[in-house]
Amino acid sequence: MYKVFLTDDEPFILEGLRDALDWSSFELEIVGTAENGRSALEKLREMRADILITDISMPVMNGLELIREARSIYRDLHVIILSGFNDFDYLKQGMRLGIENYLLKPINLHELKATLEGIIEKLDSRIKGSQDWLQEDIGVLRDNIVNRWLRGEIGPGELHERAEMLGLDLDKEWIQVALGEGSFHKEDLRLELHRLAERDGLGIPFTDRDGTAGVVMFPEHPEQGEKIVRELLDLLHSALPGEDIRISIGDVVSGEEQAGHSYEQAKKAMEFAFIHPKLELLEYVSLANHLLSADKSLSLDWSDYAKLLAAKETDRMHAKIDEDFARLAEAPGMTPSRLQNAALELILHLKLELGAIKKTTETELIREDTARRVMGAETLGAMTAIVKEIGEIAVDSLVSDTKSPVIGQILAKIHENCAEELSLKSLSAKYNIHPVYLGRLFQKETGDSFSEYLNRFRIERAKELLGNPALKVNEIARMVGYWEMGYFYKQFKKHVGVSPTEYKSLLQA
């Protein structure tokens, strides 16, 4: 087993890291922990470690100093940096030290697992080519930056700094996002798609957080986007003969700030493969228009189903499905294939609506055999039973996501009293819940760590107050809970992309 050493000045982070993964399944063993760099270094002098996972900001000795000193003991030590702050200077220094990845807290477990798997592969093969290592590191950092860009999680200033460091040219007029999937292993398509994109200069290849391979393309004009994608499809067919390949694309958008819109459309377009399995190119705009035209011809009111889903009304949804399909079956010119298409489109609408409510594309509402079951139903009752089953699963998914009373009270406290000193430690004592468990529960039910949610809420409130010319920036900082101005400026720039002073000037210009 390879040996792992953990360093972080927050005990609950160390405990969380221990519990977050089944380390033995990776053939890894945690051999020690420390709460500051100096203590970690002393322990590392006495025990061998292959992988060091360390916080970057710690008392006594910070993470960068620890890495430098530890490398003097173990030259081939592999390092993963953790940080609660997205600090560009730290990232540059970390890259110069040859880190494997720079992970922001709360830690994305998929990214941590992928990084560990990459390190294990290096350790197994004993690769010594530093250039190859550098390329792998850059690929991970590139995916991280592109994903944050497309999800609106990075400000323009930081985006351009990091893009310049990695040699990514984002100064383009037109942008379009394409995502690929096929009938074979995702990794095969990802490698080939990335290889072709880099070889032919088609754009910036990346892998999104769902593991889907994609390319951010830069057509010279809006009409060129589809042409580039069709060329990419031809290249993929030549490289992977006999495989079913699909490319989904969002619209061509103008300017980097709209790139996320194209990515969202491309993700939604992928869903349409469920009712159009033979389409190789899934273009969101044309497919969405098809749904609108289908609405009129089939006379199903999708908005009614959306309301029933949001209200978690299973019985009323079942009754509406029976009523609508009984009416459609009696409509002049209706055929079994049209009824099947109506059923499939209703299921797709339910999936898209569920994704919009839960703000995720990872719902398991539609299984691989759903379309086959609908098309193979021998009676109208059998077909509507499948649709009702899907509707019930969608409602159950929302019911299971209902927030616990404790989390509801914490959210209310943040919204009403964000200027107070709020922490997981104080709240866990108030509600008599272990802070580690409370932190996990909060992240599970909100999608954010407690600190990230609190900072984002405070910054949004600060943005509102900055529109008041009578208030000074330091007054606003205290009004939203920041008593240390440097930290307020850092958090504001992280979330907004400019300083509070610059933002106030823009509002008053």
Side-chain angles (χ1 to χ4, degrees):
M1 279 191 171
Y2 295 119
K3 302 181 184 301
V4 181
F5 194 95
L6 307 177
T7 310
D8 199 293
D9 62 331
E10 298 180 83
F12 74 90
I13 294 291
L14 291 175
E15 185 178 344
L17 278 172
R18 279 185 177 277
D19 297 340
L21 299 179
D22 180 3
W23 295 89
S24 61
S25 69
F26 290 86
E27 295 295 320
L28 296 174
E29 175 190 6
I30 297 176
V31 295
T33 64
E35 294 185 13
N36 65 66
R38 178 63 63 192
S39 175
L41 188 60
E42 291 171 358
K43 292 181 179 180
L44 285 170
R45 293 185 190 279
E46 301 174 358
M47 63 180 68
R48 169 75 192 183
D50 302 292
I51 302 171
L52 170 65
I53 301 178
T54 179
D55 187 16
I56 202 166
S57 178
M58 298 180 293
V60 186
M61 175 186 284
N62 69 30
L64 294 174
E65 294 169 331
L66 169 61
I67 295 168
R68 292 190 188 96
E69 294 293 333
R71 282 270 172 76
S72 68
I73 305 172
Y74 306 117
R75 183 178 177 183
D76 296 329
L77 183 67
H78 296 264
V79 180
I80 300 172
I81 284 179
L82 310 178
S83 178
F85 306 102
N86 198 8
D87 193 300
F88 180 63
D89 288 334
Y90 278 153
L91 174 58
K92 288 194 294 186
Q93 293 180 63
M95 286 189 67
R96 285 197 290 269
L97 290 171
I99 63 171
E100 299 290 335
N101 205 352
Y102 184 101
L103 302 180
L104 290 176
K105 300 176 184 178
I107 300 165
N108 183 312
L109 288 182
H110 293 296
E111 189 173 0
L112 175 59
K113 289 177 182 177
T115 305
L116 289 171
E117 288 168 354
I119 294 173
I120 292 167
E121 185 177 344
K122 293 176 184 179
L123 290 168
D124 285 342
S125 58
R126 304 296 178 185
I127 297 174
K128 299 300 182 183
S130 61
Q131 186 62 35
D132 289 340
W133 286 18
L134 179 60
Q135 289 304 315
E136 291 175 16
D137 295 341
I138 288 176
V140 173
L141 292 169
R142 180 188 61 199
D143 284 350
N144 179 43
I145 292 167
V146 171
N147 275 290
R148 291 179 60 212
W149 171 33
L150 297 179
R151 291 172 178 265
E153 299 172 354
I154 187 170
E158 182 189 352
L159 174 62
H160 280 279
E161 283 181 336
R162 297 199 172 195
E164 182 179 356
M165 179 184 68
L166 294 175
L168 305 179
D169 182 9
L170 305 182
D171 188 19
K172 307 289 186 181
E173 182 177 1
W174 303 105
I175 297 173
Q176 183 174 36
V177 177
L179 301 171
E181 62 178 2
S183 59
F184 45 89
H185 195 275
K186 273 188 175 183
E187 184 64 10
D188 296 334
L189 176 61
R190 186 188 73 82
L191 291 173
E192 197 57 44
L193 187 62
H194 286 195
R195 184 185 72 82
L196 292 171
E198 290 177 335
R199 187 195 71 181
D200 297 341
L202 299 176
I204 301 173
F206 71 100
T207 303
D208 77 3
R209 292 176 187 172
D210 298 332
T212 303
V215 182
V216 180
M217 306 183 303
F218 304 102
E220 294 181 2
H221 50 80
E223 293 74 23
Q224 189 189 27
E226 184 177 335
K227 180 176 180 293
I228 296 174
V229 175
R230 292 200 179 277
E231 291 175 357
L232 181 59
L233 268 170
D234 290 340
L235 291 170
L236 286 170
H237 280 307
S238 298
L240 300 166
E243 301 289 356
D244 293 329
I245 300 170
R246 286 183 296 277
I247 299 289
S248 63
I249 57 175
D251 204 0
V252 178
V253 296
S254 177
E256 68 186 46
E257 67 281 356
Q258 294 296 317
H261 181 64
S262 184
Y263 169 71
E264 288 177 5
Q265 287 186 329
K267 289 293 283 186
K268 290 178 180 177
M270 293 184 77
E271 309 285 356
F272 285 85
F274 167 65
I275 55 176
H276 301 292
K278 296 188 181 300
L279 280 182
E280 289 189 331
L281 179 59
L282 299 163
E283 185 180 12
Y284 176 76
V285 174
S286 62
L287 290 167
N289 288 337
H290 166 74
L291 275 187
L292 289 175
S293 63
D295 289 354
K296 297 174 183 177
S297 62
L298 294 171
S299 301
L300 286 178
D301 191 338
W302 310 118
S303 63
D304 282 350
Y305 286 99
K307 292 173 185 175
L308 291 171
L309 176 60
K312 307 180 186 72
E313 293 277 2
T314 302
D315 292 340
R316 289 178 60 196
M317 184 183 292
H318 284 181
K320 182 165 180 58
I321 290 169
D322 285 333
E323 177 187 338
D324 278 350
F325 280 89
R327 174 174 51 80
L328 288 175
E330 298 296 326
M334 184 57 64
T335 64
S337 63
R338 289 192 70 194
L339 281 172
Q340 291 165 342
N341 285 335
L344 292 174
E345 292 194 349
L346 175 54
I347 292 171
L348 178 58
H349 268 283
L350 289 172
K351 179 176 175 65
L352 293 173
E353 187 64 27
L354 181 62
I357 295 172
K358 298 181 70 173
K359 295 181 171 56
T360 177
T361 59
E362 299 181 58
T363 56
E364 296 296 332
L365 188 62
I366 300 176
R367 299 192 300 268
E368 291 183 5
D369 66 339
T370 302
R372 177 183 57 76
R373 291 174 64 208
V374 170
M375 302 303 284
E378 296 183 356
T379 65
L380 178 62
M383 187 184 73
T384 55
I386 297 168
V387 180
K388 287 189 283 188
E389 173 192 324
I390 301 297
E392 187 169 349
I393 293 172
V395 171
D396 288 346
S397 178
L398 289 182
V399 171
S400 66
D401 276 359
T402 302
K403 291 181 171 52
S404 71
V406 170
I407 298 302
Q409 291 178 60
I410 290 174
L411 290 173
K413 190 167 185 63
I414 291 173
H415 295 172
E416 295 168 9
N417 303 290
C418 70
E420 290 186 8
E421 184 177 346
L422 300 170
S423 69
L424 275 179
K425 185 176 181 180
S426 63
L427 291 168
S428 65
K430 176 180 175 65
Y431 294 106
N432 197 27
I433 298 175
H434 193 284
V436 174
Y437 175 75
L438 182 60
R440 290 175 185 165
L441 182 63
F442 189 94
Q443 182 158 5
K444 177 184 177 183
E445 298 196 2
T446 66
D448 286 316
S449 70
F450 176 79
S451 60
E452 184 65 21
Y453 186 97
L454 178 61
N455 277 313
R456 183 182 295 113
F457 182 85
R458 284 172 165 170
I459 295 303
E460 288 301 316
R461 179 67 181 133
K463 285 168 64 178
E464 296 174 10
L465 295 172
L466 284 165
N468 185 341
L471 294 174
K472 296 179 180 179
V473 172
N474 62 341
E475 293 175 330
I476 292 170
R478 290 193 293 271
M479 290 171 69
V480 298
Y482 292 105
W483 293 87
E484 206 284 305
M485 287 300 294
Y487 186 60
F488 173 56
Y489 268 74
K490 189 172 187 176
Q491 286 298 318
F492 196 94
K493 192 165 186 179
K494 170 187 172 182
H495 287 88
V496 184
V498 296
S499 72
T501 305
E502 291 169 329
Y503 187 82
K504 188 176 182 67
S505 300
L506 289 171
L507 293 178
Q508 296 174 3

